[in-house]
């Protein structure tokens, strides 16, 4: 029975979510599988990949063939590296301790690279947000200046602005009556 390590699609339309499985090559894409090895979510940035490294290595040692995409995922998480190092242990080129040390050093470097990418994405998102806020403030200031300019009465050309201000003040103050209103005595 030829075994493939491949992706099994889950999730809704337009939002794929995959299981990484070891399955019989003759089984349907989303059909029976022998073992679930992990998950792959391409909707996040960076993509979320969770794998059981030891089970994946066991299937590779037993002859399972990964598909192209599954091979890229296994390589990204270091499964192929561990399989390679364990091959060196079987041949006597390395000890198990040396192989584990090399694998752990690679994993820490990879995690640091992923953390840098996440930090860079967060920084880029913050810069984009700041730029959008700055642009929005500029538009709002321009709009407020236009509204303030529209609210002022326009001065016809050739007329003195001070004369117009005096005219507006005079028109704004109603004439006050010189006589006080008479009060009715109702006693």
């Amino acid at each position: 029975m030829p075994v493939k390590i491949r992706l099994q699609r889950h999730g809704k339309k337009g939002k794929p979510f995959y299981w990484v499985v070891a399955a019989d090559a003759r089984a349907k894409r989303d059909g029976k599988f022998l073992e679930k090895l992990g998950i792959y979510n391409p909707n996040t940035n960076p993509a979320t990949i969770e794998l059981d490294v030891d089970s994946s290595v066991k299937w590779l040692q037993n002859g399972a063939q990964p598909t192209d995409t599954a091979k890229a995922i296994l390589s990204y998480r270091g499964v192929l590296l561990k399989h390679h190092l364990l091959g060196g242990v079987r041949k006597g080129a390395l000890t198990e301790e040396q192989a584990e040390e090399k694998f752990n050093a690679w994993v820490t470097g990879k995690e640091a690279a992923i953390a840098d990418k996440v930090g860079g994405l967060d920084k880029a998102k913050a810069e984009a947000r700041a730029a959008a806020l700055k642009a929005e403030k500029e538009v709002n200031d321009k709009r407020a200046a236009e509204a303030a300019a529209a609210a002022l009465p326009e001065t016809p050309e050739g007329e003195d602005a001070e004369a117009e201000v005096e005219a507006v003040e005079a028109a704004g103050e109603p004439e006050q009556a010189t006589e006080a209103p008479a009060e009715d005595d109702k006693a």
Side-chain angles (χ1 to χ4, degrees):
M1 167 173 79
V3 176
K4 288 272 192 187
I5 297 177
R6 63 183 183 197
L7 300 180
Q8 191 177 65
R9 192 181 197 281
H10 293 273
K12 62 184 185 178
K13 185 178 8 174
K15 299 284 186 180
F17 180 86
Y18 298 96
W19 287 359
V20 180
V21 296
D24 183 359
R26 298 167 292 188
K28 295 178 183 177
R29 180 193 71 176
D30 298 337
K32 269 187 173 179
F33 59 91
L34 302 170
E35 184 179 356
K36 179 180 173 184
L37 302 174
I39 61 165
Y40 167 60
N41 185 1
N43 298 318
T44 60
N45 190 8
T48 304
I49 300 173
E50 295 175 14
L51 278 178
D52 183 1
V53 175
D54 295 328
S55 293
S56 301
V57 169
K58 179 191 77 156
W59 279 107
L60 289 173
Q61 288 175 340
N62 289 335
Q65 295 297 313
T67 61
D68 293 339
T69 306
K71 188 173 190 176
I73 290 170
L74 294 175
S75 176
Y76 183 81
R77 296 305 292 175
V79 173
L80 296 179
L81 175 66
K82 189 165 187 175
H83 176 65
H84 175 74
L85 291 173
L86 291 177
V89 170
R90 278 194 309 274
K91 292 178 182 176
L94 296 169
T95 64
E96 284 190 39
E97 293 80 24
Q98 290 173 331
E100 276 300 315
E101 183 178 318
K102 285 186 176 189
F103 179 71
N104 290 334
W106 182 88
V107 167
T108 55
K110 185 68 170 183
E111 288 174 354
I114 292 171
D116 288 345
K117 181 177 181 180
V118 169
L121 290 171
D122 290 343
K123 183 178 177 184
K125 191 182 292 185
E127 289 173 355
R129 187 177 297 132
L133 183 63
K134 182 179 177 185
E136 186 176 341
K137 282 185 179 183
E138 289 175 1
V139 169
N140 286 343
D141 291 342
K142 182 180 175 185
R143 194 175 293 149
E146 289 174 359
L152 291 176
E154 292 189 24
T155 306
E157 301 233 359
E159 204 175 296
D160 190 13
E162 292 177 6
E164 184 179 340
V165 169
E166 291 172 4
V168 168
E169 288 177 356
E173 297 176 9
E175 294 181 21
Q176 295 182 359
T178 55
E179 297 178 15
E183 294 184 18
D184 294 334
D185 291 331
K186 295 183 180 178

